[in-house]
Amino acid sequence: MRDPGDGEEVAMIRWGWLRDAASRLRRGWRPVLEATVAATVAWILATRLVGHPQPFFAPAAALIVLGQARGQRLRRAVEVVLGVAGGVLVADLVIQGLGPGTTWTVFTVILLTVALAAAVGATGVTLVQAAVSALYLVVVAPPTEGLVPFRFVDALVGGAVALAVSQLVDARRPLAPLVAEVRGTFDEMAGLLTDIAGALDRHDEPGALAALRKARGMDARVDRLRDEVLAAGEALWLNLRRRRHLGRLRSVDSSIRQIDYAVRNVRVLARAGVTLSRLSSPVPGDLCVALRSLAEAVGAAGEALAADLEGRDEVAERHAERADAAALAAVRTAGGLFTPGQTLPLMMIIGQVRATAIDLLRGVGAEDDAVVLSRVDQALGLPPV
């Protein structure tokens, strides 16, 4: 006999799946809307403006370009157009010699198209698009007089529409997504340092392990930050009125390497924090003070970079000064613990406080690297080199 509870369990599973699907759709509505609008507009332009009765490549090119990550779409649009042109050219020549629809024609077209694409250094989208375009012409719609330029124009229309649609949302504020990602990355790193300090305050090994798990996930944050820099650069390049802001983008781009180094330092610091939390000896209170000062420096550095991107130079300078002062305060406080007889994990944390402070100051300051290093070591109490 069937258990009545089975039906309730199935209903709960279905409801949970529907709820998750609705949540994913709420988060991912933009790509759905972009793809639908771009493919439809590309089809309309190709049929009514260009006059092509079967513009397969126009919506297809739009979908292929939008399928790429933001920041890579301009390059992909060019690759799609070149791939279509190369594939159509090869297919047209082979069909003229061997006729359409034969096995030898299909074999020859694929071989020559892929070989030609590989010979010119094409990879990925360009190679596949060339082969698919050529195969489509052989199997589905053999070219006739006048169709070769139509298909090339179709791909051009589709790629251009995809680029235009992808920029509509960010047209007024192309740097806004990058600014949000900068703030999110630095806020998460500052929160991580605060979590480590709290775990050490409480001698909380599970809390220290949780912080370490968060630290290991920070690499994904840095990757997203790099992706947003590429996307912002593409958006600014396509927006003629805002290309003057590319200089701001370059300043942040040059800081990403230091941010990456800082993330790695914090991960090592978190690992040492786990070891320190396992020891029976008490954790010095000044160490947690130093970590919280470093967290304040990280937060201020993020605000400095965000304000720089937004063109608020005076605000950026104030935050950079605050980051400088907090980072040196963290090093100074940690340096007071730099005495003989301390445990190895504690010494490691002091070293990572120093290294993180250096990377932060290099990321937001205009000083020479040697000057930054000298100031940090002076705060740590090390003799000048």
Side-chain angles (χ1 to χ4, degrees), residues 347-380:
M347 301 301 284
M348 289 179 63
I349 291 177
I350 294 171
Q352 294 309 313
V353 168
R354 170 186 177 272
T356 305
I358 290 172
D359 290 323
L360 283 178
L361 296 183
R362 284 173 173 171
V364 301
E367 293 178 327
D368 181 80
D369 286 354
V371 175
V372 170
L373 186 60
S374 175
R375 293 180 64 222
V376 170
D377 284 348
Q378 183 179 358
L380 189 62

Side-chain angles (χ1 to χ4, degrees), residues 50-328:
V50 181
H52 188 182
Q54 295 179 324
F56 168 81
F57 287 113
L63 292 174
I64 290 171
V65 173
L66 285 177
Q68 307 304 312
R70 293 170 62 242
Q72 300 177 14
R73 290 174 176 175
L74 179 60
R75 185 179 65 183
R76 291 295 185 255
V78 175
E79 289 181 353
V80 167
V81 172
L82 294 177
V84 169
V88 167
L89 177 61
V90 171
D92 192 25
L93 294 175
V94 172
I95 288 173
Q96 297 302 323
L98 300 179
T102 69
T103 302
W104 279 111
T105 302
V106 172
F107 173 82
T108 305
V109 164
I110 294 176
L111 176 64
L112 292 180
T113 304
V114 174
L116 178 62
V120 299
T123 58
V125 172
T126 307
L127 192 149
V128 172
Q129 186 60 38
V132 169
S133 302
L135 191 60
Y136 176 83
L137 296 186
V138 174
V139 177
V140 180
T144 59
E145 187 176 355
L147 286 184
V148 172
F150 267 135
R151 290 191 170 96
F152 179 81
V153 172
D154 283 347
L156 188 62
V157 168
V161 169
L163 291 176
V165 170
S166 68
Q167 299 304 315
L168 287 179
V169 176
D170 299 332
R172 294 184 61 186
R173 299 179 63 202
L175 293 177
L178 175 58
V179 171
E181 193 63 43
V182 166
R183 286 198 169 104
T185 300
F186 278 85
D187 286 347
E188 187 169 331
M189 185 158 52
L192 175 58
L193 286 165
T194 302
D195 290 346
I196 296 171
L200 292 177
D201 254 342
R202 302 185 302 270
H203 228 71
D204 178 12
E205 182 183 343
L209 286 169
L212 178 58
R213 285 193 293 271
K214 285 184 182 179
R216 288 170 174 163
M218 283 296 297
D219 286 338
R221 267 290 191 180
V222 176
D223 290 339
R224 289 202 298 273
L225 190 56
R226 287 195 180 98
D227 291 342
E228 286 298 340
V229 169
L230 291 175
E234 181 179 85
L236 290 175
W237 196 90
L238 291 170
N239 193 326
L240 296 178
R241 293 183 301 173
R242 299 184 184 272
R243 284 189 186 177
R244 64 183 184 278
H245 299 317
L246 282 170
R248 297 179 191 167
L249 190 62
R250 281 191 288 270
S251 67
V252 173
D253 191 25
S254 64
S255 299
I256 289 182
R257 178 178 298 179
Q258 302 303 141
I259 296 170
D260 189 17
Y261 291 157
V263 165
R264 297 181 193 182
N265 290 329
V266 171
R267 184 165 61 246
V268 175
L269 190 155
R271 191 178 299 117
V274 172
T275 305
L276 188 60
S277 70
R278 291 171 176 166
L279 301 180
S280 57
S281 56
V283 176
D286 279 352
L287 180 64
C288 299
V289 172
L291 292 178
R292 291 189 173 97
S293 293
L294 190 60
E296 180 185 351
V298 169
E303 289 300 323
L305 287 176
D308 184 46
L309 281 169
E310 293 170 335
R312 299 182 296 145
D313 295 337
E314 292 183 2
V315 175
E317 186 173 348
R318 286 200 301 271
H319 283 303
E321 290 173 355
R322 187 161 64 90
D324 185 289
L328 292 178

